[in-house]
Amino acid sequence: MKFVNYILVLSMFLTFVSKAQAQYLTDFGINIGASNYLGDIGGKEMIRRDFIFDMKLSQTKPSYGLFFRHRFNESYGITTTLTFANIAGTDAITENPARRERNLSFYNTITELSTRAEYYFYTIHDVGNHGRYCVNFRPYVFAGLGLFHHAPKTKYQ
C-alpha cells in the first residue's frame, strides 16, 4: 500500500510539472499507471461474469512509459509514446474449482510505440474568466499508428 501512495504522489507532482511547462511548444514526460488481465485464466468464483466483474485486482501490475509532444502551432501537433505494461493471470488464486483444477498461468510484458497527429479545433483561454490564464480548454481529435510487441510466457507448476 505504501508503494501505491508513493506512485499517487509522484503522478500528482508530475501532472503539476506538466501543467507548468504547457506554455511551451515542446514537452515530454512520463506515464505511470496500472494494467490488468481480463480473460479466461484466473478470475473469481463463477465460470464467467460480464465486464470487469471477473477481474482479480490482486493481479494488477504497473504500466509506465515516456511521451514526447511537439506543437507546430496553436492548431497542430504530434505526440510519440513508448509504453511498457505487464499483465498476468493464474488459476491458482481463483475460487472456481474447475479453473483451479485446470491450473493455467501466464505473464506478459507488452511494449507499445505509437505516434499520433493532433488537431486542436477549438481553444478557450482562461476558463471561468478569472484573469489567471492557468486553465485552458482545448478539445482535439487525433489519428495515428501504433506498434506493439508481446510474448506471453508461462511457468510449469
Short mmCIF file of all heavy atoms in Angstrom, two decimals, residues 57-111:
data_model
loop_
_atom_site.label_atom_id
_atom_site.label_comp_id
_atom_site.label_asym_id
_atom_site.label_seq_id
_atom_site.Cartn_x
_atom_site.Cartn_y
_atom_site.Cartn_z
N LEU A 57 -8.22 -7.99 -8.75
CA LEU A 57 -7.42 -6.79 -8.54
C LEU A 57 -6.03 -7.10 -7.99
O LEU A 57 -5.10 -6.33 -8.17
CB LEU A 57 -8.15 -5.81 -7.63
CG LEU A 57 -9.40 -5.19 -8.25
CD1 LEU A 57 -10.09 -4.28 -7.25
CD2 LEU A 57 -9.07 -4.43 -9.51
N SER A 58 -5.86 -8.26 -7.36
CA SER A 58 -4.54 -8.62 -6.84
C SER A 58 -3.54 -8.88 -7.96
O SER A 58 -2.34 -8.90 -7.73
CB SER A 58 -4.64 -9.86 -5.95
OG SER A 58 -5.04 -10.98 -6.71
N GLN A 59 -4.02 -9.06 -9.18
CA GLN A 59 -3.15 -9.31 -10.33
C GLN A 59 -2.78 -8.01 -11.06
O GLN A 59 -2.18 -8.05 -12.13
CB GLN A 59 -3.83 -10.26 -11.31
CG GLN A 59 -3.98 -11.66 -10.78
CD GLN A 59 -2.62 -12.32 -10.63
OE1 GLN A 59 -1.92 -12.54 -11.60
NE2 GLN A 59 -2.24 -12.60 -9.39
N THR A 60 -3.11 -6.85 -10.51
CA THR A 60 -2.79 -5.57 -11.12
C THR A 60 -1.28 -5.35 -11.11
O THR A 60 -0.62 -5.54 -10.09
CB THR A 60 -3.50 -4.43 -10.38
OG1 THR A 60 -4.90 -4.68 -10.43
CG2 THR A 60 -3.21 -3.09 -11.02
N LYS A 61 -0.76 -4.96 -12.26
CA LYS A 61 0.69 -4.77 -12.44
C LYS A 61 0.94 -3.33 -12.89
O LYS A 61 0.05 -2.64 -13.37
CB LYS A 61 1.23 -5.72 -13.51
CG LYS A 61 0.91 -7.18 -13.28
CD LYS A 61 1.73 -7.72 -12.15
CE LYS A 61 1.44 -9.21 -12.01
NZ LYS A 61 1.64 -9.70 -10.71
N PRO A 62 2.18 -2.86 -12.78
CA PRO A 62 2.49 -1.48 -13.19
C PRO A 62 2.54 -1.31 -14.71
O PRO A 62 2.85 -2.25 -15.45
CB PRO A 62 3.86 -1.23 -12.58
CG PRO A 62 4.47 -2.58 -12.46
CD PRO A 62 3.34 -3.52 -12.19
N SER A 63 2.23 -0.12 -15.12
CA SER A 63 2.36 0.29 -16.51
C SER A 63 3.09 1.63 -16.50
O SER A 63 2.78 2.50 -15.68
CB SER A 63 0.97 0.44 -17.13
OG SER A 63 1.05 1.00 -18.41
N TYR A 64 4.04 1.81 -17.39
CA TYR A 64 4.81 3.04 -17.38
C TYR A 64 5.30 3.34 -18.79
O TYR A 64 5.32 2.46 -19.65
CB TYR A 64 6.00 2.96 -16.40
CG TYR A 64 6.83 1.71 -16.59
CD1 TYR A 64 7.93 1.71 -17.43
CD2 TYR A 64 6.52 0.54 -15.93
CE1 TYR A 64 8.69 0.58 -17.61
CE2 TYR A 64 7.27 -0.62 -16.11
CZ TYR A 64 8.35 -0.58 -16.95
OH TYR A 64 9.09 -1.72 -17.13
N GLY A 65 5.65 4.58 -19.02
CA GLY A 65 6.11 4.95 -20.35
C GLY A 65 6.64 6.36 -20.42
O GLY A 65 6.67 7.09 -19.42
N LEU A 66 7.03 6.74 -21.62
CA LEU A 66 7.55 8.07 -21.92
C LEU A 66 6.75 8.66 -23.06
O LEU A 66 6.28 7.93 -23.94
CB LEU A 66 9.02 7.98 -22.35
CG LEU A 66 9.98 7.31 -21.39
CD1 LEU A 66 11.30 7.03 -22.09
CD2 LEU A 66 10.20 8.21 -20.19
N PHE A 67 6.60 9.97 -23.07
CA PHE A 67 5.96 10.62 -24.21
C PHE A 67 6.72 11.88 -24.60
O PHE A 67 7.41 12.49 -23.77
CB PHE A 67 4.48 10.93 -23.96
CG PHE A 67 4.24 12.08 -23.02
CD1 PHE A 67 4.16 13.38 -23.50
CD2 PHE A 67 4.09 11.87 -21.67
CE1 PHE A 67 3.94 14.44 -22.65
CE2 PHE A 67 3.87 12.92 -20.80
CZ PHE A 67 3.79 14.21 -21.30
N PHE A 68 6.59 12.24 -25.86
CA PHE A 68 7.18 13.46 -26.40
C PHE A 68 6.12 14.10 -27.29
O PHE A 68 5.54 13.45 -28.15
CB PHE A 68 8.43 13.13 -27.23
CG PHE A 68 8.99 14.32 -27.95
CD1 PHE A 68 9.78 15.23 -27.29
CD2 PHE A 68 8.71 14.52 -29.29
CE1 PHE A 68 10.29 16.33 -27.95
CE2 PHE A 68 9.21 15.62 -29.96
CZ PHE A 68 10.02 16.53 -29.28
N ARG A 69 5.83 15.37 -27.05
CA ARG A 69 4.82 16.10 -27.83
C ARG A 69 5.43 17.39 -28.37
O ARG A 69 6.11 18.11 -27.64
CB ARG A 69 3.63 16.44 -26.95
CG ARG A 69 2.56 17.25 -27.68
CD ARG A 69 1.40 17.65 -26.79
NE ARG A 69 0.91 16.51 -26.05
CZ ARG A 69 0.64 16.55 -24.75
NH1 ARG A 69 0.83 17.63 -24.05
NH2 ARG A 69 0.18 15.47 -24.13
N HIS A 70 5.16 17.63 -29.63
CA HIS A 70 5.58 18.90 -30.23
C HIS A 70 4.37 19.51 -30.92
O HIS A 70 3.70 18.87 -31.71
CB HIS A 70 6.71 18.69 -31.24
CG HIS A 70 7.14 19.97 -31.88
ND1 HIS A 70 7.88 20.92 -31.19
CD2 HIS A 70 6.91 20.48 -33.10
CE1 HIS A 70 8.09 21.95 -31.98
NE2 HIS A 70 7.51 21.71 -33.14
N ARG A 71 4.11 20.77 -30.59
CA ARG A 71 3.02 21.50 -31.24
C ARG A 71 3.63 22.45 -32.25
O ARG A 71 4.44 23.30 -31.92
CB ARG A 71 2.21 22.25 -30.19
CG ARG A 71 1.58 21.24 -29.25
CD ARG A 71 0.42 21.67 -28.48
NE ARG A 71 -0.51 22.50 -29.18
CZ ARG A 71 -1.39 23.26 -28.55
NH1 ARG A 71 -1.44 23.26 -27.24
NH2 ARG A 71 -2.23 24.00 -29.22
N PHE A 72 3.24 22.28 -33.50
CA PHE A 72 3.78 23.11 -34.57
C PHE A 72 3.22 24.52 -34.52
O PHE A 72 3.90 25.49 -34.85
CB PHE A 72 3.48 22.48 -35.93
CG PHE A 72 4.08 21.11 -36.07
CD1 PHE A 72 3.29 19.99 -36.02
CD2 PHE A 72 5.45 20.95 -36.23
CE1 PHE A 72 3.84 18.73 -36.13
CE2 PHE A 72 6.01 19.71 -36.35
CZ PHE A 72 5.21 18.58 -36.30
N ASN A 73 1.98 24.64 -34.08
CA ASN A 73 1.33 25.93 -33.89
C ASN A 73 0.14 25.72 -32.95
O ASN A 73 0.04 24.69 -32.31
CB ASN A 73 0.90 26.56 -35.24
CG ASN A 73 0.02 25.65 -36.05
OD1 ASN A 73 -0.81 24.92 -35.50
ND2 ASN A 73 0.19 25.65 -37.35
N GLU A 74 -0.76 26.67 -32.88
CA GLU A 74 -1.90 26.59 -31.97
C GLU A 74 -2.87 25.45 -32.34
O GLU A 74 -3.60 24.96 -31.50
CB GLU A 74 -2.65 27.93 -31.99
CG GLU A 74 -3.72 28.07 -30.94
CD GLU A 74 -3.17 28.28 -29.53
OE1 GLU A 74 -2.01 28.66 -29.38
OE2 GLU A 74 -3.93 28.03 -28.59
N SER A 75 -2.84 24.99 -33.59
CA SER A 75 -3.82 24.02 -34.06
C SER A 75 -3.28 22.61 -34.29
O SER A 75 -4.05 21.66 -34.24
CB SER A 75 -4.45 24.50 -35.37
OG SER A 75 -5.13 25.71 -35.17
N TYR A 76 -2.00 22.44 -34.58
CA TYR A 76 -1.48 21.14 -34.96
C TYR A 76 -0.32 20.71 -34.07
O TYR A 76 0.51 21.52 -33.68
CB TYR A 76 -0.99 21.16 -36.42
CG TYR A 76 -2.10 21.40 -37.41
CD1 TYR A 76 -2.31 22.66 -37.93
CD2 TYR A 76 -2.92 20.36 -37.80
CE1 TYR A 76 -3.34 22.90 -38.82
CE2 TYR A 76 -3.94 20.58 -38.70
CZ TYR A 76 -4.15 21.85 -39.21
OH TYR A 76 -5.17 22.06 -40.09
N GLY A 77 -0.29 19.40 -33.80
CA GLY A 77 0.79 18.84 -33.00
C GLY A 77 0.99 17.37 -33.32
O GLY A 77 0.20 16.75 -34.05
N ILE A 78 2.04 16.80 -32.76
CA ILE A 78 2.35 15.38 -32.93
C ILE A 78 2.85 14.85 -31.59
O ILE A 78 3.58 15.54 -30.88
CB ILE A 78 3.36 15.16 -34.06
CG1 ILE A 78 3.47 13.67 -34.40
CG2 ILE A 78 4.71 15.74 -33.74
CD1 ILE A 78 4.17 13.40 -35.72
N THR A 79 2.43 13.63 -31.24
CA THR A 79 2.83 13.01 -29.99
C THR A 79 3.35 11.60 -30.26
O THR A 79 2.72 10.85 -31.01
CB THR A 79 1.65 12.93 -29.01
OG1 THR A 79 1.19 14.25 -28.73
CG2 THR A 79 2.05 12.25 -27.71
N THR A 80 4.47 11.27 -29.66
CA THR A 80 5.03 9.92 -29.74
C THR A 80 5.12 9.36 -28.33
O THR A 80 5.55 10.06 -27.41
CB THR A 80 6.43 9.95 -30.39
OG1 THR A 80 6.31 10.49 -31.71
CG2 THR A 80 7.03 8.56 -30.47
N THR A 81 4.69 8.11 -28.16
CA THR A 81 4.64 7.49 -26.85
C THR A 81 5.27 6.10 -26.90
O THR A 81 5.03 5.34 -27.83
CB THR A 81 3.17 7.36 -26.38
OG1 THR A 81 2.54 8.63 -26.44
CG2 THR A 81 3.09 6.83 -24.97
N LEU A 82 6.05 5.78 -25.89
CA LEU A 82 6.59 4.44 -25.69
C LEU A 82 6.09 3.95 -24.34
O LEU A 82 6.35 4.58 -23.31
CB LEU A 82 8.12 4.46 -25.71
CG LEU A 82 8.82 3.13 -25.46
CD1 LEU A 82 8.49 2.13 -26.57
CD2 LEU A 82 10.32 3.33 -25.36
N THR A 83 5.34 2.84 -24.35
CA THR A 83 4.70 2.35 -23.14
C THR A 83 5.05 0.89 -22.89
O THR A 83 5.11 0.10 -23.83
CB THR A 83 3.16 2.49 -23.25
OG1 THR A 83 2.83 3.84 -23.55
CG2 THR A 83 2.47 2.08 -21.97
N PHE A 84 5.26 0.56 -21.62
CA PHE A 84 5.51 -0.82 -21.18
C PHE A 84 4.42 -1.18 -20.18
O PHE A 84 4.20 -0.44 -19.22
CB PHE A 84 6.88 -0.94 -20.51
CG PHE A 84 8.02 -0.52 -21.38
CD1 PHE A 84 8.51 0.77 -21.31
CD2 PHE A 84 8.57 -1.40 -22.29
CE1 PHE A 84 9.56 1.17 -22.11
CE2 PHE A 84 9.62 -1.01 -23.10
CZ PHE A 84 10.11 0.28 -23.02
N ALA A 85 3.77 -2.31 -20.41
CA ALA A 85 2.72 -2.78 -19.50
C ALA A 85 2.96 -4.26 -19.19
O ALA A 85 3.39 -5.02 -20.05
CB ALA A 85 1.34 -2.59 -20.12
N ASN A 86 2.68 -4.64 -17.96
CA ASN A 86 2.80 -6.02 -17.53
C ASN A 86 1.43 -6.56 -17.18
O ASN A 86 0.66 -5.87 -16.49
CB ASN A 86 3.70 -6.13 -16.29
CG ASN A 86 5.09 -5.63 -16.57
OD1 ASN A 86 5.78 -6.16 -17.42
ND2 ASN A 86 5.50 -4.58 -15.88
N ILE A 87 1.12 -7.76 -17.64
CA ILE A 87 -0.13 -8.42 -17.27
C ILE A 87 0.19 -9.85 -16.87
O ILE A 87 1.21 -10.41 -17.27
CB ILE A 87 -1.19 -8.39 -18.39
CG1 ILE A 87 -0.68 -9.08 -19.65
CG2 ILE A 87 -1.64 -6.97 -18.67
CD1 ILE A 87 -1.75 -9.25 -20.73
N ALA A 88 -0.69 -10.44 -16.07
CA ALA A 88 -0.51 -11.82 -15.63
C ALA A 88 -1.86 -12.39 -15.25
O ALA A 88 -2.79 -11.66 -14.90
CB ALA A 88 0.44 -11.90 -14.44
N GLY A 89 -1.96 -13.70 -15.33
CA GLY A 89 -3.17 -14.40 -14.90
C GLY A 89 -2.78 -15.77 -14.39
O GLY A 89 -1.86 -16.40 -14.91
N THR A 90 -3.49 -16.23 -13.38
CA THR A 90 -3.21 -17.55 -12.83
C THR A 90 -4.49 -18.17 -12.29
O THR A 90 -5.32 -17.48 -11.68
CB THR A 90 -2.12 -17.51 -11.74
OG1 THR A 90 -1.89 -18.83 -11.30
CG2 THR A 90 -2.49 -16.61 -10.59
N ASP A 91 -4.65 -19.46 -12.51
CA ASP A 91 -5.78 -20.18 -11.96
C ASP A 91 -5.56 -20.54 -10.50
O ASP A 91 -6.49 -20.96 -9.82
CB ASP A 91 -6.01 -21.47 -12.76
CG ASP A 91 -6.67 -21.22 -14.11
OD1 ASP A 91 -7.30 -20.16 -14.27
OD2 ASP A 91 -6.53 -22.07 -15.00
N ALA A 92 -4.35 -20.39 -9.99
CA ALA A 92 -4.04 -20.79 -8.62
C ALA A 92 -4.76 -19.94 -7.58
O ALA A 92 -4.94 -20.39 -6.44
CB ALA A 92 -2.54 -20.72 -8.38
N ILE A 93 -5.18 -18.72 -7.92
CA ILE A 93 -5.80 -17.83 -6.93
C ILE A 93 -7.31 -17.73 -7.09
O ILE A 93 -7.96 -16.97 -6.39
CB ILE A 93 -5.18 -16.43 -6.98
CG1 ILE A 93 -5.41 -15.78 -8.34
CG2 ILE A 93 -3.70 -16.48 -6.64
CD1 ILE A 93 -4.99 -14.33 -8.40
N THR A 94 -7.91 -18.47 -8.01
CA THR A 94 -9.35 -18.38 -8.22
C THR A 94 -10.11 -19.24 -7.21
O THR A 94 -9.58 -20.21 -6.68
CB THR A 94 -9.73 -18.80 -9.65
OG1 THR A 94 -11.12 -18.59 -9.84
CG2 THR A 94 -9.40 -20.25 -9.91
N GLU A 95 -11.36 -18.87 -6.95
CA GLU A 95 -12.23 -19.67 -6.08
C GLU A 95 -13.04 -20.67 -6.90
O GLU A 95 -13.75 -21.49 -6.34
CB GLU A 95 -13.19 -18.77 -5.30
CG GLU A 95 -12.50 -17.87 -4.30
CD GLU A 95 -12.22 -16.48 -4.86
OE1 GLU A 95 -12.90 -16.06 -5.81
OE2 GLU A 95 -11.31 -15.81 -4.35
N ASN A 96 -12.96 -20.63 -8.22
CA ASN A 96 -13.70 -21.53 -9.08
C ASN A 96 -12.98 -22.89 -9.13
O ASN A 96 -11.83 -22.97 -9.55
CB ASN A 96 -13.79 -20.93 -10.49
CG ASN A 96 -14.60 -21.76 -11.44
OD1 ASN A 96 -14.39 -22.95 -11.56
ND2 ASN A 96 -15.52 -21.11 -12.12
N PRO A 97 -13.63 -23.98 -8.70
CA PRO A 97 -12.95 -25.28 -8.64
C PRO A 97 -12.47 -25.78 -10.01
O PRO A 97 -11.38 -26.36 -10.10
CB PRO A 97 -14.01 -26.22 -8.07
CG PRO A 97 -15.09 -25.37 -7.53
CD PRO A 97 -14.98 -24.04 -8.17
N ALA A 98 -13.24 -25.56 -11.07
CA ALA A 98 -12.84 -26.03 -12.40
C ALA A 98 -11.61 -25.28 -12.90
O ALA A 98 -10.68 -25.88 -13.46
CB ALA A 98 -14.00 -25.87 -13.38
N ARG A 99 -11.56 -24.00 -12.69
CA ARG A 99 -10.39 -23.21 -13.11
C ARG A 99 -9.17 -23.59 -12.27
O ARG A 99 -8.07 -23.69 -12.78
CB ARG A 99 -10.67 -21.72 -12.98
CG ARG A 99 -11.59 -21.17 -14.04
CD ARG A 99 -11.74 -19.68 -13.88
NE ARG A 99 -12.61 -19.12 -14.90
CZ ARG A 99 -12.94 -17.84 -14.95
NH1 ARG A 99 -12.47 -16.99 -14.05
NH2 ARG A 99 -13.73 -17.39 -15.89
N ARG A 100 -9.36 -23.77 -10.98
CA ARG A 100 -8.24 -24.13 -10.11
C ARG A 100 -7.65 -25.48 -10.52
O ARG A 100 -6.44 -25.66 -10.56
CB ARG A 100 -8.67 -24.16 -8.65
CG ARG A 100 -7.50 -24.39 -7.71
CD ARG A 100 -7.96 -24.51 -6.27
NE ARG A 100 -8.48 -23.26 -5.76
CZ ARG A 100 -7.74 -22.32 -5.16
NH1 ARG A 100 -6.46 -22.50 -5.04
NH2 ARG A 100 -8.29 -21.23 -4.71
N GLU A 101 -8.50 -26.43 -10.87
CA GLU A 101 -8.03 -27.76 -11.31
C GLU A 101 -7.28 -27.66 -12.63
O GLU A 101 -6.31 -28.39 -12.87
CB GLU A 101 -9.23 -28.70 -11.44
CG GLU A 101 -8.87 -30.11 -11.81
CD GLU A 101 -8.12 -30.83 -10.70
OE1 GLU A 101 -8.32 -30.50 -9.52
OE2 GLU A 101 -7.33 -31.73 -11.03
N ARG A 102 -7.70 -26.77 -13.50
CA ARG A 102 -7.04 -26.57 -14.79
C ARG A 102 -5.59 -26.11 -14.61
O ARG A 102 -4.70 -26.49 -15.35
CB ARG A 102 -7.84 -25.54 -15.61
CG ARG A 102 -7.28 -25.27 -16.96
CD ARG A 102 -8.16 -24.30 -17.71
NE ARG A 102 -8.27 -23.04 -17.00
CZ ARG A 102 -8.97 -22.01 -17.43
NH1 ARG A 102 -9.66 -22.10 -18.55
NH2 ARG A 102 -9.02 -20.88 -16.74
N ASN A 103 -5.35 -25.22 -13.65
CA ASN A 103 -4.01 -24.80 -13.21
C ASN A 103 -3.18 -24.14 -14.33
O ASN A 103 -2.01 -24.45 -14.50
CB ASN A 103 -3.26 -25.99 -12.61
CG ASN A 103 -2.07 -25.53 -11.79
OD1 ASN A 103 -2.05 -24.42 -11.27
ND2 ASN A 103 -1.06 -26.36 -11.71
N LEU A 104 -3.76 -23.22 -15.07
CA LEU A 104 -3.03 -22.47 -16.08
C LEU A 104 -2.53 -21.16 -15.49
O LEU A 104 -3.13 -20.60 -14.57
CB LEU A 104 -3.92 -22.18 -17.29
CG LEU A 104 -4.38 -23.37 -18.11
CD1 LEU A 104 -5.32 -22.91 -19.22
CD2 LEU A 104 -3.20 -24.11 -18.70
N SER A 105 -1.44 -20.63 -16.06
CA SER A 105 -0.94 -19.32 -15.65
C SER A 105 -0.09 -18.76 -16.77
O SER A 105 0.40 -19.49 -17.64
CB SER A 105 -0.10 -19.42 -14.37
OG SER A 105 1.08 -20.14 -14.62
N PHE A 106 0.07 -17.43 -16.76
CA PHE A 106 0.93 -16.77 -17.74
C PHE A 106 1.35 -15.41 -17.20
O PHE A 106 0.76 -14.88 -16.26
CB PHE A 106 0.20 -16.59 -19.09
CG PHE A 106 -0.72 -15.41 -19.11
CD1 PHE A 106 -0.31 -14.21 -19.68
CD2 PHE A 106 -1.97 -15.47 -18.53
CE1 PHE A 106 -1.15 -13.11 -19.68
CE2 PHE A 106 -2.81 -14.39 -18.53
CZ PHE A 106 -2.41 -13.21 -19.11
N TYR A 107 2.37 -14.85 -17.82
CA TYR A 107 2.75 -13.46 -17.59
C TYR A 107 3.23 -12.90 -18.93
O TYR A 107 3.67 -13.65 -19.81
CB TYR A 107 3.81 -13.32 -16.50
CG TYR A 107 5.11 -14.02 -16.79
CD1 TYR A 107 6.18 -13.32 -17.34
CD2 TYR A 107 5.27 -15.37 -16.53
CE1 TYR A 107 7.38 -13.96 -17.61
CE2 TYR A 107 6.46 -16.01 -16.80
CZ TYR A 107 7.52 -15.31 -17.34
OH TYR A 107 8.68 -15.94 -17.62
N ASN A 108 3.12 -11.61 -19.10
CA ASN A 108 3.40 -11.00 -20.39
C ASN A 108 3.83 -9.54 -20.19
O ASN A 108 3.22 -8.82 -19.42
CB ASN A 108 2.15 -11.06 -21.27
CG ASN A 108 2.42 -10.76 -22.71
OD1 ASN A 108 3.53 -10.44 -23.09
ND2 ASN A 108 1.39 -10.85 -23.52
N THR A 109 4.86 -9.14 -20.88
CA THR A 109 5.25 -7.73 -20.94
C THR A 109 4.92 -7.22 -22.33
O THR A 109 5.36 -7.79 -23.33
CB THR A 109 6.76 -7.56 -20.66
OG1 THR A 109 7.03 -8.04 -19.36
CG2 THR A 109 7.16 -6.10 -20.75
N ILE A 110 4.13 -6.18 -22.39
CA ILE A 110 3.69 -5.60 -23.65
C ILE A 110 4.42 -4.27 -23.85
O ILE A 110 4.45 -3.42 -22.96
CB ILE A 110 2.17 -5.36 -23.65
CG1 ILE A 110 1.44 -6.67 -23.40
CG2 ILE A 110 1.71 -4.72 -24.95
CD1 ILE A 110 -0.03 -6.51 -23.10
N THR A 111 5.02 -4.10 -25.02
CA THR A 111 5.72 -2.87 -25.37
C THR A 111 4.99 -2.24 -26.55
O THR A 111 4.74 -2.91 -27.55
CB THR A 111 7.18 -3.16 -25.77
OG1 THR A 111 7.81 -3.87 -24.71
CG2 THR A 111 7.93 -1.88 -26.04
#
